[in-house]
Amino acid sequence: MKRLMNCIVGIRGRSTELNQAIWEKLDAQARPDRSLGRLEEFAFRLAGIAGTLTPVINGKTIFTFAGDHGVAEEGVSLFPQEVTHEMVANFIRGGASVNVIAAFYGIDIVVVDIGVKGVFPEMSGLVRRKVGHGTKNFLKAPAMAEEEAVQAVQTGIDLVAEKVKQGVNLFGTGDMGIANTTPSTAILSVVTGVDPAEVAGPGTGIDSATLKHKVAVIRQGIKKHQPDPGDPVDLLCKVGGFEIAGIAGEILGAAMHQCPVVVDGFISTAGAMIALLFEPKVKDYIFLAHRSREPGHDAMMQWIGQDPILDLSMRLGEGTGAAIAMNLLVLSTHVLNDIASFEAAAVHSPEQV
Amino acid sequence: MKRLMNCIVGIRGRSTELNQAIWEKLDAQARPDRSLGRLEEFAFRLAGIAGTLTPVINGKTIFTFAGDHGVAEEGVSLFPQEVTHEMVANFIRGGASVNVIAAFYGIDIVVVDIGVKGVFPEMSGLVRRKVGHGTKNFLKAPAMAEEEAVQAVQTGIDLVAEKVKQGVNLFGTGDMGIANTTPSTAILSVVTGVDPAEVAGPGTGIDSATLKHKVAVIRQGIKKHQPDPGDPVDLLCKVGGFEIAGIAGEILGAAMHQCPVVVDGFISTAGAMIALLFEPKVKDYIFLAHRSREPGHDAMMQWIGQDPILDLSMRLGEGTGAAIAMNLLVLSTHVLNDIASFEAAAVHSPEQV
């Protein structure tokens, strides 16, 4: 807990010193003011984070954290629990959606076993940081112990620190864990005070009867454990997940190292809520990748107070949305760095009319 | 006119033969059904257009058509008319927004002088297909003669044919032309019957007094010439633009060669409306890149009956939005081709539970 607290204390909001100079540079480019819309917003934020008018992305990494959930035994998902394990093997072989999308963009994927049930055979490419063999079913017991929650968050922080040393300065989050929309919805519900019935969704595609059951399970878990809505460790212990904790740690670590971090979809945004409960200043480093089709995602984004970059009706996780949005951030740095000014291009600006 | 009619007669709707097989391939991938949302929709359409379950984009070209507008002398733009000419030089030097964005994605830009006022010095990289030295001010005379409209459309068709021979099979549109939101809004207004006051916008950033004046100019032009809302050549002659005609031709040419074509923003979508009036089947090949911040764009997209791929609050033209969206289409082909199936990845599907 002490190391975790040291990280959190080290997080500062991004410098605003260059704000005016960044807008001046963008406004001097040979095109109508603000005509590149959100690309300019991203460029502005990235330059501020980097503390330079010429930000460069040197390395891009997505951590795909995998963990299992005891609550899966309540039948809240369409898929059997062993799919978490099977999908980790699929990530390692490079055949999963996030592999294909990240490869297209030249983004490095790091697959982390932070809490998958069962043991993996030796596999090159798998980062083994197992905190537990899945969480406990929160209808029967708290999902994890306090030291497990802290260890899982610390794992995310540590992994980022290793990558920063290697020159990575743009991070993305990702998740794999059968049943993990259930703990994510529980976190959302506790933090915002909204009833699970209003924000729970189909996850991987359950029918309406199973959705009703899922709502009942989430309500019952919250009622049993009464998590403190302002305490991220208490939330993780009672209704959280190992991968959600890892994602929260990744976001804290990125913020500590003053690196932008792109938050994937519904599960990752639950992780972002946990990170923000630890330290609200991480918001300066967070970019929300896309609007998930999971209905509760809007309430999460509203609570965070940011608009997503993309809306492609995706609902997969793994880091798939993060990969696409990260590429748009890299593009934004080129927009800031490479577009010629009115002066350099010898183009009349409106002021010269 | 005869060559143009031959092209239009040659346009067929895309084959639906593979529809079921494409969805079966997507649904067999090791992830929840439809979890990649619109990427699957794009992959589905691209595979249907290509007539194969493994579509490959071999070459990507954006045509940036540049033309001037006589109506600029009515003071409807924030920028002086010579900016069209200056920006063409900027495109050729590679310093403009579309150069930076297209270069990032490895997309080839072809800059076409289809109707810029004045003569360019010899410049490598500029395609000279000037139909006229800007259109006429439509408050005083029809914008162009019928043979000019046909020639400008034919130019777009011919340029696509040349690139198809070189292996290009994904096209994007782009425009440059001071004052060109004015003819684009006029086309929108005539075709949909909506008053210009409801759809005219700030373009490059005019103030509300100038916007009122712009609305009056568009109303007056329409009243004077009474363009036939169902006749694309009549629309181009009376209130069109050379670059809008070239874009329409590009779209017709792409459809004739059964290639997808990504329509950039407001000006390009006016070109798409013209192309659709020539032949409604081009819709099968059209992808709308993004929602422009120009307020009339929504009415255009509604008339076409498609949703845009992106919404980044952009309003620049040049092909900037097309470039970003084209990259997402290329990604979609990788999604279809490269993600492992449940069977290949040895992952349990819901059916096996």
Side-chain angles (χ1 to χ4, degrees):
Chain A
M1 194 70 171
K2 199 179 157 192
R3 283 180 61 219
L4 175 54
M5 284 304 142
N6 281 345
C7 165
I8 290 161
V9 168
I11 293 171
R12 276 173 252 176
R14 80 161 180 83
S15 162
T16 55
E17 204 183 320
L18 289 176
N19 280 6
Q20 199 188 330
I22 304 166
W23 280 124
E24 279 169 7
K25 185 175 176 184
L26 287 164
D27 291 348
Q29 293 180 343
R31 53 183 178 77
D33 272 4
R34 310 298 155 99
S35 53
L36 285 174
R38 298 201 68 197
L39 296 182
E40 297 188 52
E41 170 200 328
F42 308 149
F44 172 77
R45 292 188 59 202
L46 291 168
I49 288 170
T52 165
L53 293 176
T54 54
V56 175
I57 303 301
N58 297 311
K60 301 158 282 187
T61 293
I62 290 173
F63 291 106
T64 301
F65 291 97
D68 270 308
H69 297 268
V71 75
E73 73 191 24
E74 299 297 332
V76 289
S77 176
L78 192 67
F79 286 83
Q81 192 174 41
E82 51 264 52
V83 167
T84 308
H85 200 284
E86 292 164 349
M87 281 300 295
V88 167
N90 194 19
F91 294 142
I92 298 300
R93 279 193 304 265
S97 303
V98 72
N99 299 106
V100 170
I101 296 176
F104 180 69
Y105 293 123
I107 297 169
D108 187 31
I109 295 287
V110 177
V111 183
V112 186
D113 171 14
I114 196 163
V116 181
K117 202 170 167 181
V119 177
F120 285 99
E122 189 71 30
M123 288 193 285
S124 132
L126 178 65
V127 174
R128 297 152 185 268
R129 303 279 171 108
K130 202 192 287 287
V131 178
H133 286 264
T135 58
K136 293 196 175 66
N137 178 351
F138 66 51
L139 287 198
K140 297 181 178 160
M144 63 184 86
E146 185 174 313
E147 51 272 32
E148 289 175 321
V150 171
Q151 187 189 335
V153 174
Q154 189 63 52
T155 298
I157 295 171
D158 292 345
L159 289 169
V160 165
E162 291 166 25
K163 283 289 166 187
V164 166
K165 272 188 204 148
Q166 295 164 27
V168 173
N169 62 350
L170 175 62
F171 291 93
T173 70
D175 73 286
M176 178 67 223
I178 293 303
N180 65 6
T181 59
T182 293
S184 299
T185 306
I187 290 168
L188 164 63
S189 188
V190 172
V191 173
T192 63
V194 174
D195 185 82
E198 287 181 47
V199 286
T204 50
I206 54 174
D207 60 24
S208 61
T210 314
L211 177 55
K212 268 190 190 166
H213 173 62
K214 178 176 168 180
V215 167
V217 166
I218 297 167
R219 275 192 190 138
Q220 209 177 322
I222 293 172
K223 196 175 168 195
K224 180 180 171 77
H225 300 295
Q226 302 282 330
D228 178 346
D231 181 343
V233 173
D234 197 54
L235 278 158
L236 289 173
C237 290
K238 289 173 174 168
V239 295
F242 292 124
E243 78 280 45
I244 297 170
I247 289 164
E250 178 188 349
I251 294 167
L252 290 166
M256 189 181 69
H257 292 283
Q258 302 188 282
C259 291
V261 56
V262 179
V263 175
D264 187 34
F266 189 69
I267 312 305
S268 285
T269 313
M273 293 177 80
I274 296 291
L276 283 156
L277 288 171
F278 275 114
E279 175 48 68
K281 288 181 195 137
V282 302
K283 189 178 167 186
D284 284 1
Y285 302 91
I286 284 177
F287 292 79
L288 298 179
H290 74 113
R291 168 171 285 120
S292 163
R293 213 155 74 236
E294 187 69 8
H297 198 217
D298 274 336
M300 287 181 172
M301 295 191 292
Q302 215 172 340
W303 184 84
I304 292 175
Q306 271 190 28
D307 291 323
I309 294 173
L310 294 159
D311 185 353
L312 293 168
S313 295
M314 290 162 61
R315 54 154 198 190
L316 179 52
E318 300 182 3
T320 49
I324 303 174
M326 286 164 82
N327 191 251
L328 282 174
L329 295 192
V330 180
L331 172 66
S332 301
T333 63
H334 289 273
V335 160
L336 180 61
N337 295 335
D338 300 339
I339 296 176
S341 67
F342 283 107
E343 200 182 334
V347 171
H348 280 81
S349 65
E351 291 77 21
Q352 294 172 293
V353 180
Chain B
M1 195 71 172
K2 197 177 157 193
R3 285 179 60 219
L4 175 54
M5 284 305 142
N6 280 344
C7 165
I8 290 162
V9 168
I11 294 171
R12 276 173 252 177
R14 80 161 181 83
S15 162
T16 56
E17 203 184 322
L18 289 176
N19 281 6
Q20 199 188 330
I22 304 166
W23 280 123
E24 279 170 7
K25 185 175 177 187
L26 287 163
D27 291 349
Q29 294 181 341
R31 54 184 178 77
D33 272 3
R34 312 296 154 100
S35 53
L36 284 175
R38 296 202 68 197
L39 296 183
E40 297 188 52
E41 170 200 328
F42 307 149
F44 171 76
R45 291 188 59 201
L46 292 168
I49 288 170
T52 166
L53 293 175
T54 53
V56 175
I57 303 300
N58 297 312
K60 301 157 282 186
T61 293
I62 291 173
F63 290 106
T64 301
F65 291 97
D68 270 307
H69 297 267
V71 76
E73 71 191 23
E74 299 297 331
V76 290
S77 176
L78 192 66
F79 287 83
Q81 192 175 41
E82 51 264 51
V83 166
T84 307
H85 200 285
E86 292 165 351
M87 281 300 295
V88 167
N90 194 19
F91 294 143
I92 298 299
R93 279 193 304 266
S97 303
V98 72
N99 300 108
V100 170
I101 296 176
F104 180 70
Y105 293 124
I107 297 169
D108 187 31
I109 295 286
V110 177
V111 184
V112 186
D113 171 13
I114 195 163
V116 181
K117 201 171 167 180
V119 177
F120 285 100
E122 189 69 34
M123 288 195 285
S124 130
L126 178 64
V127 174
R128 296 152 186 266
R129 304 277 171 111
K130 201 192 288 288
V131 177
H133 286 265
T135 57
K136 292 196 176 66
N137 178 349
F138 66 51
L139 286 198
K140 296 180 180 161
M144 62 185 86
E146 186 176 313
E147 51 273 34
E148 289 176 322
V150 171
Q151 187 189 336
V153 174
Q154 188 63 51
T155 298
I157 294 172
D158 292 344
L159 289 169
V160 165
E162 291 166 25
K163 283 288 168 189
V164 166
K165 272 188 203 147
Q166 294 164 27
V168 174
N169 61 351
L170 176 61
F171 291 92
T173 70
D175 73 285
M176 179 67 223
I178 293 305
N180 65 8
T181 59
T182 294
S184 299
T185 306
I187 290 168
L188 164 63
S189 189
V190 173
V191 173
T192 62
V194 174
D195 187 81
E198 287 181 47
V199 286
T204 49
I206 54 174
D207 60 23
S208 62
T210 313
L211 177 55
K212 266 189 192 167
H213 173 61
K214 179 176 168 179
V215 167
V217 166
I218 297 168
R219 274 191 192 139
Q220 210 178 322
I222 293 173
K223 196 175 165 194
K224 180 181 171 75
H225 299 296
Q226 302 283 329
D228 177 346
D231 181 343
V233 173
D234 197 54
L235 279 159
L236 289 173
C237 289
K238 289 172 173 169
V239 295
F242 292 125
E243 77 280 46
I244 297 170
I247 289 164
E250 179 188 349
I251 294 167
L252 290 166
M256 188 181 70
H257 292 284
Q258 301 187 284
C259 292
V261 55
V262 179
V263 176
D264 186 34
F266 188 68
I267 313 304
S268 285
T269 312
M273 293 177 81
I274 296 290
L276 283 156
L277 287 172
F278 275 115
E279 174 50 69
K281 290 182 194 134
V282 302
K283 189 177 168 187
D284 284 2
Y285 302 90
I286 284 176
F287 292 79
L288 298 179
H290 74 113
R291 168 172 283 121
S292 163
R293 211 155 78 237
E294 187 69 8
H297 198 215
D298 274 336
M300 286 181 173
M301 296 191 293
Q302 216 172 337
W303 184 84
I304 292 176
Q306 271 191 29
D307 291 323
I309 294 173
L310 294 158
D311 186 353
L312 293 168
S313 294
M314 290 163 60
R315 54 153 197 189
L316 179 51
E318 299 183 1
T320 49
I324 303 173
M326 286 165 81
N327 192 251
L328 282 173
L329 296 192
V330 180
L331 172 66
S332 300
T333 63
H334 290 272
V335 160
L336 180 61
N337 295 334
D338 300 339
I339 296 175
S341 67
F342 283 108
E343 201 182 334
V347 171
H348 280 81
S349 64
E351 292 73 23
Q352 295 172 293
V353 180

